[in-house]
Amino acid sequence: RDVTEVIPNQLLEKLMMLLDPLSILRCASVNKRWRSVAVTPRVWHNLCKLRWRMRTSISRHRVYSCKSWVEVYRHLSKKLRMPKGIYTGNRTRVFATGRCNGLDMWVSLSHRPDCSLLRKPHEGGRMARVRITIQNTRNSKVWIPTKSTDLGLVALQKDGYIQAAIARQKPQRTLRNGRSIASMISEASKTDIGSLEPKVIAFNGSPVDCGMGDGVLLGPLDFTVIQAHMDASTLTFEPEFLERLVEIQISVELPYDIENFEEKIPLSGHECKLRKNWRRVEAKAKFKDDREIWKHYSMLPGGCMYLNDMDVLRDHERQQREYY
């Protein structure tokens, strides 16, 4: 007897709830009974909860203006919806998005009340604190190195210049402008910028307090937030830094053979060393145009700036869609 006819529908539904979207679609092509189970609301509602960490009940799919949870998944995936977490969510201002090699990527900033850029601790100039959210939508694991020598985090500017992330800054052993090293270090500690090296600050929506580490291993539908600092030279405000960028990319590693590769399962997704039989690819995100960036900011007399309210922005966008 065919094994596809022996498995009861309830057990088949629970098994499909453990699969990724591609595997569910393959199950739907087995026969009519499997297809009817593969499109049930429970299967795709569970998949939406895993990918976007939503808390919407199974009966409220019409909140997203969709007729079924299959359409909800397709709609949110097409819109590049960001999963909810401590540094991510509906009110997170995203300035760059991308989808490449089975990875979804969002870029945001750590904002200050006056929208000014951070000052470098031991030298002149300013820098921007960038947060990169990466989600693995593949059916295999992804390794993201976070060491300064292996990260490969670079930003392409409009003038063609390629800018890399800042590594740890050590104080010089000489006096600068008559100021001692101790005074410069104490002043830098007051800026509360911490280590300048790239680091993982969140994993699957929860904060990470275990420090730096070599990188993070993402399973299917896992996501992480990486914080890095980038040089902003003589710029003062956040939109001035954002409008000169075209694209940001980060190096990740994928296994050559999904079914046969060596790995060491890390603790809580961290502290995992690189294995062999992995290949390096680039995850990319393109920045929005200047008009989309500047609509998040407003300039006040006297050279001050503030962030616009997200509810006001959504109402304005809704009015524009209705008008056009």
Side-chain angles (χ1 to χ4, degrees):
R1 191 176 179 182
D2 190 359
V3 67
T4 60
E5 300 295 337
V6 176
I7 304 177
N9 289 352
Q10 293 182 352
L11 178 59
L12 187 60
E13 184 181 65
K14 291 183 178 181
L15 292 175
M16 288 187 182
M17 292 174 66
L18 303 175
L19 302 178
D20 59 277
L22 181 59
S23 299
I24 294 175
L25 294 178
R26 289 173 178 173
C27 292
S29 62
V30 175
N31 53 41
K32 291 183 178 180
R33 189 173 72 90
W34 280 46
R35 178 177 177 81
S36 63
V37 176
V39 296
T40 53
R42 291 184 59 186
V43 173
W44 289 93
H45 175 252
N46 178 72
L47 203 57
C48 289
K49 290 198 303 181
L50 290 176
R51 179 164 179 177
W52 292 288
R53 268 65 181 180
M54 60 176 58
R55 299 180 180 179
T56 309
S57 63
I58 193 171
S59 61
R60 299 191 63 191
H61 56 84
R62 295 190 180 274
V63 174
Y64 304 96
S65 302
C66 298
K67 297 180 180 180
S68 64
W69 281 104
V70 179
E71 293 186 7
V72 172
Y73 187 92
R74 187 184 299 113
H75 172 68
L76 297 181
S77 178
K78 185 178 180 180
K79 289 183 60 178
L80 271 175
R81 172 76 172 266
M82 177 184 286
K84 292 184 179 181
I86 184 172
Y87 297 107
T88 59
N90 295 334
R91 292 190 171 272
T92 302
R93 290 171 169 83
V94 178
F95 300 103
T97 58
R99 175 173 290 164
C100 183
N101 295 312
L103 299 172
D104 290 352
M105 185 171 170
W106 302 266
V107 180
S108 59
L109 290 181
S110 174
H111 300 285
R112 304 181 72 184
D114 57 353
C115 302
S116 63
L117 298 170
L118 295 170
R119 293 186 180 274
K120 292 184 180 179
H122 308 302
E123 56 184 272
R126 293 178 181 266
M127 61 183 179
R129 180 179 290 171
V130 183
R131 289 172 178 168
I132 302 103
T133 305
I134 302 178
Q135 185 174 36
N136 177 23
T137 59
R138 301 167 56 90
N139 57 356
S140 62
K141 297 182 180 180
V142 176
W143 169 255
I144 304 177
T146 54
K147 277 190 174 181
S148 301
T149 56
D150 302 328
L151 178 60
L153 176 61
V154 296
L156 176 62
Q157 300 182 3
K158 292 181 178 179
D159 56 4
Y161 179 73
I162 299 178
Q163 179 182 357
I166 299 177
R168 183 184 297 274
Q169 300 289 315
K170 296 181 179 181
Q172 301 179 5
R173 297 185 178 276
T174 57
L175 295 178
R176 300 184 60 181
N177 300 327
R179 299 163 59 192
S180 64
I181 298 300
S183 64
M184 287 191 292
I185 294 177
S186 62
E187 180 180 348
S189 61
K190 295 179 182 179
T191 59
D192 191 24
I193 61 172
S195 173
L196 302 186
E197 283 189 321
K199 60 181 179 181
V200 176
I201 59 175
F203 183 78
N204 283 341
S206 301
V208 174
D209 300 326
C210 60
M212 181 58 189
D214 295 334
V216 57
L217 184 68
L218 297 182
L221 300 183
D222 286 344
F223 71 98
T224 186
V225 181
I226 299 176
Q227 180 174 281
H229 296 83
M230 308 202 77
D231 182 33
S233 60
T234 59
L235 303 178
T236 305
F237 294 105
E238 296 171 2
E240 297 175 346
F241 167 77
L242 293 170
E243 67 177 356
R244 72 174 185 175
L245 299 179
V246 177
E247 184 180 86
I248 191 169
Q249 65 181 30
I250 183 172
S251 297
V252 301
E253 307 223 355
L254 309 176
Y256 276 110
D257 187 357
I258 299 176
E259 298 179 355
N260 183 21
F261 66 94
E262 299 178 4
E263 66 175 351
K264 176 184 175 183
I265 302 300
L267 179 62
S268 301
H270 305 282
E271 302 296 342
C272 184
K273 294 184 178 181
L274 184 63
R275 281 78 49 193
K276 60 182 179 180
N277 298 330
W278 288 66
R279 58 190 175 94
R280 173 161 292 191
V281 298
E282 306 296 334
K284 302 178 181 180
K286 291 186 178 181
F287 281 85
K288 300 178 180 179
D289 55 21
D290 297 350
R291 182 180 178 182
E292 291 292 322
I293 291 175
W294 277 96
K295 78 177 183 180
H296 291 274
Y297 300 89
S298 292
M299 183 70 73
L300 295 176
C304 300
M305 186 172 290
Y306 70 94
L307 281 170
N308 295 327
D309 187 76
M310 289 295 293
D311 293 331
V312 176
L313 291 176
R314 292 194 181 99
D315 292 340
H316 180 66
E317 292 176 354
R318 191 179 301 110
Q319 291 175 2
Q320 285 185 336
R321 287 195 300 268
E322 293 176 356
Y323 178 79
Y324 292 106

